[in-house]
Amino acid sequence: MSYVFCNSCGHRNPPQSGFCSACGSVLDQPDERTIVLAKVDRLQDAPGDADNVSLSSAELHSGKGLLIIRSGAQSGNRYVVEGLTTIGRHPDSSICLDDVTVSRRHAQVVHEDGRYVVRDLGSLNGTYVNQMRIDDFALEQGDELQVGKYRMVFFNG
C-alpha cells in the first residue's frame, strides 16, 4: 500500500485520501499531479524587447535622457528628461501619472554633472529602480524606474 503524504504538514494519509486527516489540506494524488506555473512578466526579463520599442537615432543621440513607460495606462508614452523633471500625480508635473498609487509630488529626475539622478520626494509608496527602493540613485542606460504601478525604462541620450 502506498501512502499519500501531505505537502503542508507531512502527515501520512491512506492512498485514496483527497484531504489530509491532520490539517485538511488538499492532497496530491500520484496519478493526478497538478503543476502550478507562476505568471511570468515578459517585460521584466527583457525590457523593451517584448513590446518592440523602437527608438530613432535622433532620440538616442539627442544628448537628453528618455523615459518610456512600459506598464500602466500610459504604456508607450515617451518623456524627454532634461534639467529638472518632476514625476507625480499633480497636474503641473513634467510626467503626470494619474493614479492613486502615485503621490502628488512623487519623485524627480535631475540632470547634473553629466548624469541623471532620480530622487524620491518622500512619497508614500516609494520609488524603485531595478526593483530596489531608493531615495537617491544615478540612472544608467536600461534601468527600470517604478513609480506607483507605472514602470519606465531609462535611456541615456
Side-chain angles (χ1 to χ4, degrees):
M1 178 184 323
S2 128
Y3 291 97
V4 178
F5 291 90
C6 177
N7 289 331
S8 297
C9 70
H11 182 75
R12 183 176 70 175
N13 294 281
Q16 300 305 320
S17 299
F19 298 93
C20 178
S21 60
C23 70
S25 295
V26 177
L27 297 174
D28 283 340
Q29 296 297 329
D31 56 340
E32 298 175 13
R33 294 250 180 233
T34 301
I35 298 173
V36 178
L37 299 175
K39 183 178 178 184
V40 176
D41 181 355
R42 62 185 176 89
L43 297 177
Q44 189 168 338
D45 294 331
D49 291 348
D51 283 344
N52 295 325
V53 173
S54 60
L55 298 173
S56 68
S57 59
E59 286 177 304
L60 284 176
H61 301 299
S62 66
K64 300 173 185 169
L66 183 68
L67 282 171
I68 300 177
I69 297 181
R70 287 190 351 186
S71 66
Q74 299 179 14
S75 182
N77 287 4
R78 299 162 188 237
Y79 298 95
V80 174
V81 180
E82 58 183 333
L84 173 68
T85 303
T86 57
I87 304 170
R89 199 175 69 232
H90 195 278
D92 292 339
S93 298
S94 306
I95 301 174
C96 182
L97 304 173
D98 191 20
D99 187 75
V100 295
T101 61
V102 179
S103 297
R104 282 184 207 92
R105 288 174 174 73
H106 198 103
Q108 66 183 13
V109 180
V110 181
H111 186 216
E112 58 185 23
D113 301 326
R115 60 189 190 139
Y116 294 89
V117 178
V118 61
R119 291 190 179 103
D120 184 78
L121 299 176
S123 64
L124 182 63
N125 292 326
T127 302
Y128 295 81
V129 174
N130 301 328
Q131 300 179 348
M132 293 183 339
R133 190 170 185 157
I134 58 98
D135 290 322
D136 194 78
F137 190 87
L139 292 171
E140 294 183 17
Q141 180 86 1
D143 280 346
E144 178 188 71
L145 173 63
Q146 182 174 349
V147 174
K149 69 177 185 179
Y150 294 90
R151 290 182 177 192
M152 299 170 256
V153 178
F154 175 76
F155 293 94
N156 190 350

